[in-house]
Amino acid sequence: ARDPRLRDPLNYARFFVGELLPSSQRCIYLDTDVFVERSLADLDDAARQLFQEKPNSVIAAVPRDFKKPCDGVVNCKLPMVRSRGEMHSFNAGVVVFELDRWRSTKRLDSVARWISRNEVSQGKVYKLGSNPPFVLAVGPDLVRLDPRWNCMRGIHRQHAHNTRCWGGAFIRHYPGGAKPWDEVEVTRKHPPGWAAPWRFPRRETCGIE
């Protein structure tokens, strides 16, 4: 990955949750650039029900329907990638793991294999950081969370699906290099929908001054 943020080893920590939490059945993983505005117990309950409905699923996440895996996430021209079959593009900033299935199907090993294949091919399998091997390792075994559980707003162009979920978002996610609490960057970019000065979501209800 060209962006040094995507090469940070901590981006790969999520893949080890099964080993780090050997006695747990589920795990909620959150990126550090999110604001949670609804109880995570509700997220866990929603994921639990979805996992029951799809017994082969290993994660619950919000798919990126506007960006298919072959649209720049992975190189679908390669036979090894095409043979993977069905895949779903998703943002990994909010993910619920079904840990028993994650461990039993050896998805950590699968992630490692895809990283190794990419290194051997000198980056021909994918160009970005930790998300493409995650997509490849999960394949079709994903259940769809309500978009409000990972509603994103970057500093550049906004996608329509994020605009629709933003008002009632359960988790607000600010991916990319610039964050709304970075006043210098916000002032320079003037991103749409980011008021200045920045105010944390619903801070009045938290009694924070």
Side-chain angles (χ1 to χ4, degrees):
R2 295 176 182 175
D3 189 333
R5 293 178 299 109
L6 299 178
R7 296 196 298 268
D8 191 321
L10 289 178
N11 285 329
Y12 298 83
R14 58 173 70 91
F15 301 135
F16 294 89
V17 291
E19 282 62 38
L20 294 171
L21 302 170
S23 301
S24 299
Q25 184 178 2
R26 289 185 302 280
C27 170
I28 296 174
Y29 173 90
L30 301 177
D31 273 355
T32 57
D33 54 358
V34 303
F35 288 106
V36 178
E37 299 205 47
R38 181 162 174 169
S39 172
L40 292 178
D42 293 338
L43 173 56
D44 179 65
D45 187 59
R48 177 183 56 79
Q49 295 181 44
L50 291 169
F51 288 140
Q52 290 175 349
E53 295 169 4
K54 189 176 179 181
N56 292 328
S57 55
V58 294
I59 68 165
V62 175
R64 294 192 288 191
D65 293 329
F66 64 91
K67 187 173 186 179
K68 303 301 181 184
C70 296
D71 296 337
V73 178
V74 296
N75 182 4
C76 292
K77 294 180 180 179
L78 295 178
M80 74 174 84
V81 175
R82 288 200 305 271
S83 66
R84 182 64 182 93
E86 181 185 354
M87 294 177 285
H88 300 279
S89 180
F90 58 90
N91 179 274
V94 179
V95 177
V96 185
F97 288 83
E98 213 297 344
L99 291 178
D100 289 340
R101 298 174 195 168
W102 180 264
R103 286 185 288 256
S104 66
T105 57
K106 301 185 183 301
R107 300 302 169 114
L108 174 59
D109 293 342
S110 181
V111 169
R113 283 195 299 272
W114 282 111
I115 292 174
S116 178
R117 290 169 180 169
N118 193 52
E119 292 177 347
V120 169
S121 70
Q122 297 183 328
K124 292 181 180 178
V125 179
Y126 58 86
K127 299 297 183 184
L128 299 176
S130 61
N131 185 258
F134 200 2
V135 168
L136 287 161
V138 170
D141 300 325
L142 170 147
V143 288
R144 303 171 65 98
L145 288 173
D146 185 314
R148 290 174 294 179
W149 283 115
N150 187 3
C151 194
M152 296 179 287
R153 176 156 294 188
I155 201 163
H156 301 295
R157 181 171 63 89
Q158 306 304 316
H159 290 284
H161 70 287
N162 289 328
T163 301
R164 287 193 294 269
C165 69
W166 193 254
F170 302 152
I171 295 179
R172 300 175 190 268
H173 186 189
Y174 297 91
K179 309 301 177 186
W181 46 90
D182 183 349
E183 294 183 5
V184 174
E185 190 68 6
V186 170
T187 301
R188 185 171 71 87
K189 293 284 189 177
H190 295 291
W194 287 12
W198 168 251
R199 291 184 62 80
F200 288 90
R202 301 184 186 177
R203 63 184 297 168
E204 292 82 2
T205 63
C206 300
I208 299 174
E209 295 298 336

